[in-house]
Amino acid sequence: MNGNRKHYSSLKTILLTILFLSLSLALIGEGKTNQDTELLKKQFQRLGHRLDVLEKVMDDILWYHKVGDIAYVDKVRHFGPPRGNVKNPTAMGAKNPVKFYSYVFIPKNIDINKKYPLLVFPHGGVHSNFSTYYTHIVRELTAQGYVVIAPEYRGSTGYGGGMYRLIDYGGLETEDVYASRQYMLDNYDFLDKNRVGILGWSHGGLITLMNIFDHPKAYQVAYAGVPVSDLIARMGYMTDSYRALYSAPFHIGKTANQNVEEYKRRSPAWNTHKMKDTPLLIYSNTNDDDVNVLEVQHLIKSLKADGKKFDYKIFKDAPGGHSFDRMDTQLAKKTRFTVYSFLAKHLKPPHPFSSVKALVKAGYPGMK
C-alpha cells in the first residue's frame, strides 16, 4: 500500500543529500565558514518541508480518486490545546489553540436521518501524516458504515516547519486526537455519541491507548496495532538519530537519561493504571522491525498487573514485520477481519463484514 510513498521519501532524501553535499563542497572551495554551512543546513530543512507540502497536496488529490466512489472525502480545519513548549508565553497568540487539519470520510450510502458509528483514526510515524497508504483500510471501514476522522495532529508532516516543530509525542498530540472526536460529534448530527471507537497502528497505537486511558468514557472500543508502548525501552534500542527527534529543543528537550519521568509520562506501559473498562484489542508481532515486541510485552504485563480486562495476540514471525496486518496479503486481510469483528461487536455498524471475502470486495475494487 505504501510503495509509492516510500519511493518518494527515498528519492527526496537522495536529492537533498546530493544537493547538500554539492553545495557544501562548493562552500569549502570558496573558503566559507561553518556559519555559512549551518545556514545552508537550515535552508535545506526548509526545502525538505516544502517538498513534504508538495507531497501532501498530491496525496490529497489521490484520496478522491481512491475512495471517492464509496465515500465523501473532506478535509476540515479545527483546533486542539495551546502549544506546550512556548519560548515566550507572553507573546501575542502564545496561548491560542493549535489549529490542524483532519480528514473526514463519510459513506455515500448513509441515511442522514439515522445514527452512525464514528471511528477516530490517528496515523503513525514520529513525523508523518495520514496518507493513501491507508486506502484499503479506509475503504473497508466506510463500506461497513463507519464515519471516519483521521486527525493530522501537531507534528504531522506536509504542513511546513512550524507544524513539524509543534510535535508533542505522547503529550498534547493525544488531546488533538480527542479534539477531533469532539469536533465530529459537534458538527455531524447523524453520529451516535454512544458508538465511538478509536484505532491506530504504531505511534497511532500509542495515541489510541493514551486516549482511552485519559478519556475512558469517550470511546466504546479501541484497537492498538503494534503500538509504541515504552519510550524508555525504545530509546535504549533505537539509533542516536531517532533519539535526537525526542531530545530536540522544540520537542521534549532532554534525553531519557536526563528526564526519565517525562518519558514515562508519555508511555502507555507506564500508565495502564488509568485504564477503566474500554474494550481493548492489542496485536503485536515477534519480528516487528520498528516497535520491538518487548515494548508490547511490557504493556501487556502492566495491564495484567493492574487487573485490567483486555484482549491481545502476539503473532509469531508474521510476514511483514511492523506492517504485517496493514499490507495486502491474505494474512493481513484475515487479521484485519478479526479486528473489524471486534470493533463491530461494540459499535454495531450497519454493514459489518460477514467474511474475509466481503472485506476484499469492499477494499479492493475488481478483486474477487
Side-chain angles (χ1 to χ4, degrees):
M1 286 190 288
N2 63 340
N4 291 336
R5 182 176 176 80
K6 285 187 175 180
H7 176 74
Y8 171 84
S9 297
S10 299
L11 181 61
K12 184 184 80 170
T13 301
I14 292 170
L15 287 174
L16 287 175
T17 302
I18 292 173
L19 284 169
F20 178 74
L21 289 175
S22 298
L23 290 176
S24 293
L25 290 172
L27 286 174
I28 293 172
E30 295 177 8
K32 298 293 184 180
T33 64
N34 289 335
Q35 186 176 359
D36 294 316
T37 303
E38 288 301 314
L39 180 61
L40 180 63
K41 286 182 180 179
K42 291 181 179 180
Q43 292 294 338
F44 272 92
Q45 288 173 354
R46 294 191 185 99
L47 176 59
H49 291 308
R50 292 186 67 84
L51 288 174
D52 285 340
V53 171
L54 177 61
E55 177 193 10
K56 171 56 66 174
V57 171
M58 292 188 294
D59 201 60
D60 279 355
I61 296 172
L62 285 177
W63 271 120
Y64 295 90
H65 174 70
K66 290 177 175 288
V67 305
D69 58 319
I70 63 170
Y72 297 109
V73 182
D74 199 4
K75 195 170 185 181
V76 298
R77 199 175 193 207
H78 52 112
F79 61 87
R83 290 175 290 174
N85 187 0
V86 184
K87 288 184 178 180
N88 182 6
T90 61
M92 185 172 63
K95 297 180 180 180
N96 286 353
V98 169
K99 293 175 282 189
F100 63 95
Y101 287 95
S102 290
Y103 293 95
V104 176
F105 304 95
I106 302 173
K108 282 191 170 180
N109 61 354
I110 68 166
D111 179 349
I112 61 172
N113 296 309
K114 296 181 179 179
K115 294 288 187 179
Y116 292 85
L118 170 67
L119 277 173
V120 182
F121 191 172
H123 66 76
V126 180
H127 285 289
S128 189
N129 58 66
F130 196 82
S131 73
T132 48
Y133 171 84
Y134 294 106
T135 292
H136 297 116
I137 295 175
V138 169
R139 290 187 66 90
E140 291 159 6
L141 294 174
T142 54
Q144 294 175 78
Y146 291 110
V147 175
V148 178
I149 183 166
E152 298 275 66
Y153 50 82
R154 65 191 69 200
S156 295
T157 55
Y159 303 95
M163 183 64 166
Y164 180 96
R165 289 185 291 273
L166 286 179
I167 184 172
D168 195 11
Y169 198 105
L172 290 173
E173 63 178 14
T174 67
E175 295 306 307
D176 289 341
V177 172
Y178 175 70
S180 73
R181 168 200 176 274
Q182 195 58 45
Y183 170 85
M184 293 299 288
L185 296 179
D186 288 343
N187 288 276
Y188 296 86
D189 292 337
F190 51 79
L191 292 177
D192 187 344
K193 66 178 181 180
N194 296 314
R195 289 191 291 161
V196 181
I198 183 169
L199 79 161
W201 281 264
S202 193
H203 179 190
L206 175 147
I207 293 175
T208 293
L209 292 165
M210 297 301 270
N211 257 259
I212 66 170
F213 292 172
D214 293 336
H215 305 284
K217 295 182 180 180
Y219 303 97
Q220 280 64 59
V221 67
Y223 170 68
V226 291
V228 174
S229 304
D230 185 348
L231 286 179
I232 300 169
R234 191 166 181 77
M235 294 303 111
Y237 69 79
M238 293 299 273
T239 62
D240 287 341
S241 60
Y242 183 88
R243 287 189 283 268
L245 295 172
Y246 295 80
S247 59
F250 56 80
H251 194 188
I252 297 175
K254 293 183 178 180
T255 65
N257 175 268
Q258 294 168 330
N259 192 345
V260 69
E261 290 299 321
E262 186 61 27
Y263 284 76
K264 284 176 67 176
R265 183 180 72 83
R266 299 165 183 264
S267 301
W270 294 95
N271 287 274
T272 54
H273 59 281
K274 295 192 292 184
M275 182 180 171
K276 300 300 182 184
D277 55 0
T278 307
L280 169 65
L281 176 63
I282 301 167
Y283 280 171
S284 185
N285 190 6
T286 56
N287 66 356
D288 192 321
D289 49 349
D290 186 327
V291 179
N292 193 293
V293 69
L294 68 85
E295 287 193 55
V296 185
Q297 288 171 331
H298 181 196
L299 170 69
I300 291 168
K301 288 181 179 179
S302 295
L303 285 166
K304 289 181 176 179
D306 285 327
K308 306 303 180 181
K309 183 180 179 181
F310 65 104
D311 295 280
Y312 74 94
K313 182 176 180 179
I314 298 178
F315 289 74
K316 176 67 174 177
D317 294 335
H322 187 54
S323 50
F324 80 99
D325 61 345
R326 286 174 285 173
M327 299 174 68
D328 305 312
T329 62
Q330 280 296 316
L331 174 63
K333 294 168 188 172
K334 290 177 180 177
T335 304
R336 289 204 298 276
F337 176 73
T338 65
V339 173
Y340 299 151
S341 297
F342 182 81
L343 296 175
K345 183 168 62 175
H346 301 280
L347 297 179
K348 302 293 188 293
H351 311 292
F353 292 144
S354 59
S355 65
V356 175
K357 185 177 181 179
L359 178 154
V360 172
K361 183 179 179 181
Y364 299 82
M367 187 179 292
K368 296 182 180 179

